[in-house]
Amino acid sequence: MKRSLVVVTGALLGLLALLPGAGWASHNADVHTPNMSLLANFDDGGKALDGSDLAFWGSTAVLPNYNSLRLVDISDPFAPRELGELACPGAQADVTVWKDLVFMSVDSPRSGPQCGAGGAPLAQQEQGTDWEGIRIISIADPSKPEQIHTVRTGCGSHTNTLVPDEANGRLLIYVNSYPTVGIRSPTCNDATHEQLSVIEVPLADPRAAKVVSTPKITAGPNSPSNGCHDVTVFLPKKIAAAACLQETQVWDIADPVNPKVLTTFKNPQIQFDHSTEFSNDGNTLIIGDEFAGAAAPHSCATGTEPFKFGALWFYDVADPKKLPVQKGSFQLERQGPLALCTAHNFNTVPLRSDRDILVSAFYEGGTAVIDYTDPSKPTKIGGYIPKTKVSTDAWSSYWYDGLIYVNNHEGAAPGASGSPTAGTQPASRGLDIKRFEDPAVADAIKLGHLNPQTHEAFPPPPSPGAPGPARQGVGGSVGGPADCVGRSTTVVPRRIGAFRVGMRRPSVIRFAGLGIRPNFYNLRYCAKGGGHVLVSFGRHNRVRLIASTSPGARTRKVGPGSSIRQLLRAYPTARKERSGVYVVRRRGRGLLAFGTRGRRVDFVAVGDRKVLSRRRTALMRHHVRRIRCSEGGPGLRC
């Protein structure tokens, strides 16, 4: 009887990701590159339309739409579940989060700040007595989110950007707003707005939050800006980039309460300066063009357009005081004659390497993964367009702690076959959770929380073997040490061969009571009695390899700590590889492998015959290094 426990690492990212990054595949009508897969979809039966932004704290996703705020537990990416909801209408519900506080933007005139208040009548808007601005919501009890305070701001809040300042016991909120088409009130008009509102939130008393400054964002009499749509801050360099409708600006935020405009510039091929983002080193700026404000199709490439509307643009901003230098652009290929596929919300994958990888939403163009390491030649290396049940309308696509999360704005349900409404019924697709398998993201960093428009300093690399901090969710700790994503009551699944490595989906691990959480597309568990177990997945979420350094991971009484003599006595057909790994071929059951260190067995693994036979020596070497590094092996470069 084989007993071992399963711990998961990101060990096989480079070696098991033998999948092409280009080309499209189709499963269940979804269109995607082979290196992207859909793990789960969370919706509410299609009731809540107009999904918007996303933010994350620990294992909790903050999922807003134009009518409510939902908290979703994403600790199991195969089965996200709702924790709580606050019904509180007000477009467009852009959100940021800090611990147990959520800040939600309202950019539609309300008759009052209460969650139950309806839209403001015309007379109230003309008088300037309507309410728009920021809602402050406590999620200390995630089952009962509660609005605890509101702050009114000029022209409301289309989006907001969080600037943490814990050293001074506060958070700052940059409120991005501008006069929209329609009523111009005394507090919101083209002639007098031209500003950013900065809200200070005392951490000791969030109910005392208030506007502390309204700096001008115009850069002289010729500046076309009367407000900004989106602002991204890069805190290590104390700079920000603002997409201000008709131009883009770079700011100095050394004094975060009073940002100063350093440079402004306009690209004539950008129809609507919508979003901004930085590379991990802050030297490259990305600008997203939301063509026609997403009100017109035909914004993706066919190869014949004179302009690149709906594209992403890349600029060199290594010296933020100088005018940014355009380096390149990326335009998604068009998926249909009427497809709306303009760029929308996006973020850069946090990496320790020098590579720059972007994840971006493209409305009906779904989600694309773009390598812009060379910003003059950005290249798509992954993509996913859901078509099943409800088509995609990707509003926000963000990378967070190893996976991609997509909040869909609205989609079209298939409808009854042959009916006049087939394919046109509005419905909500909700939240998609996707996995991207590629060596480009092999060294992605787990941040533990994410506000996509806020670049904080990366956490330092963990010391080999040192336990990380507990993973925090709303209300406290929801996980064990950061290097282990779960624990089991057994040392290893009793019938390790029953997993049919390479043939079964990871749900079998969940059914075994091991409770999965993601680390890229591998899982790591802490074994009872010490050691780790690794589970790695290949195409379509199939298990490809299970390896363990746990002393209890034994087969025929051979496991970590056993002598080479004991190994050969139990398995006389074992063949030694150059890497020091002994491989046993088992008819119809894949390969059994024993890693060695000196004259002792270091770990035991069972693997897919096709994968291990192709590159088993390199694979085992990779595993030996990764497992030992995770356990603090001496003399290793980790």
Side-chain angles (χ1 to χ4, degrees):
M1 188 173 290
K2 306 179 181 98
R3 298 176 62 85
S4 119
L5 176 85
V6 182
V7 186
V8 174
T9 77
L12 290 170
L13 287 172
L15 292 171
L16 288 184
L18 302 176
L19 308 175
W24 295 85
S26 181
H27 299 283
N28 299 323
D30 290 356
V31 178
H32 60 93
T33 52
N35 56 4
M36 287 191 72
S37 57
L38 177 67
L39 300 186
N41 170 256
F42 169 86
D43 65 13
D44 60 350
K47 298 176 184 177
L49 301 176
D50 304 320
S52 56
D53 201 28
L54 276 168
F56 305 86
W57 198 273
S59 58
T60 300
V62 181
L63 183 70
N65 60 60
Y66 279 20
N67 297 294
S68 70
L69 175 79
R70 280 185 170 83
L71 302 177
V72 179
D73 180 357
I74 55 173
S75 59
D76 181 349
F78 299 96
R81 64 184 184 90
E82 183 175 312
L83 296 172
E85 180 183 10
L86 174 66
C88 208
Q92 64 180 20
D94 195 78
V95 291
T96 52
V97 62
W98 193 260
K99 297 181 180 178
D100 59 2
L101 294 174
V102 170
F103 307 96
M104 186 162 71
S105 294
V106 178
D107 193 25
S108 61
R110 317 302 298 173
S111 59
Q114 307 87 356
C115 279
L122 181 61
Q124 188 178 5
Q125 296 181 48
E126 291 175 334
Q127 294 168 4
T129 58
D130 58 307
W131 183 88
E132 299 176 280
I134 292 288
R135 302 187 190 276
I136 301 179
I137 299 166
S138 170
I139 57 173
D141 180 353
S143 66
K144 297 178 181 179
E146 177 188 10
Q147 177 174 288
I148 60 172
H149 188 57
T150 62
V151 180
R152 188 177 189 272
T153 57
C155 287
S157 173
H158 197 71
T159 64
N160 76 83
T161 301
L162 180 74
V163 182
D165 187 13
E166 288 191 301
N168 292 306
R170 65 183 182 179
L171 305 173
L172 297 176
I173 308 295
Y174 288 176
V175 178
N176 311 305
S177 61
Y178 51 91
T180 53
V181 176
I183 298 299
R184 297 294 192 267
S185 72
T187 58
C188 183
N189 58 75
D190 293 326
T192 63
H193 187 61
E194 298 180 345
Q195 68 185 31
L196 172 79
S197 295
V198 180
I199 294 175
E200 181 181 75
V201 183
L203 290 172
D205 185 11
R207 290 177 173 85
K210 62 182 180 180
V211 175
V212 292
S213 70
T214 55
K216 294 290 184 181
I217 53 84
T218 54
N222 297 322
S223 175
S225 297
N226 60 4
C228 296
H229 183 281
D230 226 329
V231 173
T232 299
V233 296
F234 193 89
L235 299 180
K237 296 180 71 172
K238 297 181 181 180
I239 59 173
C244 300
L245 314 182
Q246 300 303 314
E247 67 179 6
T248 295
Q249 303 179 353
V250 178
W251 298 349
D252 176 354
I253 58 171
D255 177 1
V257 175
N258 297 289
K260 296 180 180 178
V261 178
L262 293 175
T263 60
T264 66
F265 58 103
K266 171 63 180 175
N267 181 338
Q269 292 205 67
I270 296 179
Q271 199 272 336
F272 184 88
D273 295 60
H274 177 275
S275 302
T276 57
E277 172 62 318
F278 288 101
S279 59
N280 288 318
D281 61 7
N283 291 335
T284 300
L285 168 66
I286 305 98
I287 304 172
D289 174 15
E290 187 186 36
F291 177 68
H298 308 301
S299 50
C300 293
T302 63
T304 61
E305 297 86 357
F307 293 96
K308 293 184 177 181
F309 290 147
L312 297 166
W313 295 85
F314 299 84
Y315 287 83
D316 181 350
V317 289
D319 186 346
K321 295 180 180 179
K322 294 182 178 179
L323 191 67
V325 178
Q326 182 182 317
K327 304 298 288 186
S329 64
F330 172 85
Q331 192 176 25
L332 192 70
E333 66 272 23
R334 187 174 298 168
Q335 300 301 316
L338 296 177
L340 172 62
C341 50
T342 182
H344 204 236
N345 290 340
F346 42 82
N347 78 327
T348 295
V349 179
L351 299 171
R352 297 228 183 257
S353 71
D354 293 332
R355 299 191 71 167
D356 288 314
I357 309 296
L358 189 77
V359 173
S360 180
F362 281 90
Y363 285 100
E364 292 175 26
T367 297
V369 182
I370 300 145
D371 185 339
Y372 70 100
T373 306
D374 179 354
S376 67
K377 299 177 181 179
T379 304
K380 189 182 79 173
I381 58 175
Y384 202 107
I385 306 175
K387 300 286 188 180
T388 308
K389 187 174 69 171
V390 177
S391 62
T392 190
D393 192 23
W395 176 286
S396 300
S397 295
Y398 299 130
W399 175 281
Y400 173 62
D401 281 6
L403 297 173
I404 294 172
Y405 296 83
V406 182
N407 193 359
N408 290 277
H409 189 59
E410 189 174 302
S417 178
S419 72
T421 60
T424 62
Q425 299 173 12
S428 168
R429 182 172 178 86
L431 175 70
D432 286 326
I433 303 178
K434 297 182 172 70
R435 190 177 71 185
F436 175 63
E437 307 171 283
D438 195 277
V441 294
D443 60 350
I445 302 168
K446 298 185 76 172
L447 301 175
H449 67 274
L450 177 68
N451 293 294
Q453 285 73 45
T454 304
H455 278 259
E456 302 175 63
F458 285 164
S463 301
R471 189 181 184 194
Q472 296 293 312
V474 174
S477 176
V478 297
D483 65 337
C484 298
V485 295
R487 293 185 181 272
S488 173
T489 56
T490 59
V491 181
V492 174
R494 290 184 178 180
R495 296 166 56 197
I496 198 167
F499 280 105
R500 292 183 179 273
V501 176
M503 299 298 294
R504 299 290 292 276
R505 291 183 178 272
S507 57
V508 298
I509 299 173
R510 186 166 66 248
F511 295 156
L514 299 180
I516 57 177
R517 288 196 182 134
N519 182 346
F520 304 112
Y521 58 102
N522 299 273
L523 304 177
R524 173 190 297 190
Y525 295 82
C526 288
K528 182 179 181 180
H532 295 97
V533 182
L534 316 149
V535 179
S536 295
F537 304 109
R539 296 189 184 195
H540 315 312
N541 301 331
R542 292 176 179 171
V543 177
R544 306 304 293 272
L545 184 142
I546 300 173
S548 179
T549 62
S550 167
R554 294 180 173 271
T555 174
R556 295 189 188 178
K557 299 183 179 180
V558 177
S562 298
S563 67
I564 302 297
R565 181 177 296 180
Q566 289 174 307
L567 167 62
L568 295 177
R569 187 178 300 162
Y571 292 97
T573 61
R575 187 177 68 183
K576 184 178 180 180
E577 301 290 325
R578 291 182 180 179
S579 61
V581 175
Y582 287 81
V583 176
V584 179
R585 295 180 179 273
R586 304 183 302 164
R587 183 176 299 176
R589 298 176 64 192
L591 297 175
L592 188 63
F594 296 89
T596 59
R597 194 177 188 186
R599 298 193 59 80
R600 295 284 175 179
V601 173
D602 196 35
F603 68 91
V604 59
V606 58
D608 179 289
R609 180 186 182 96
K610 183 177 180 181
V611 170
L612 285 181
S613 62
R614 182 185 301 167
R615 299 182 65 179
R616 61 177 174 268
T617 300
L619 184 63
M620 288 297 103
R621 283 177 177 167
H622 191 67
H623 259 344
V624 168
R625 184 178 68 84
R626 286 288 185 156
I627 295 174
R628 288 176 181 167
C629 284
S630 70
E631 296 177 348
L636 296 175
R637 297 181 63 186
C638 300

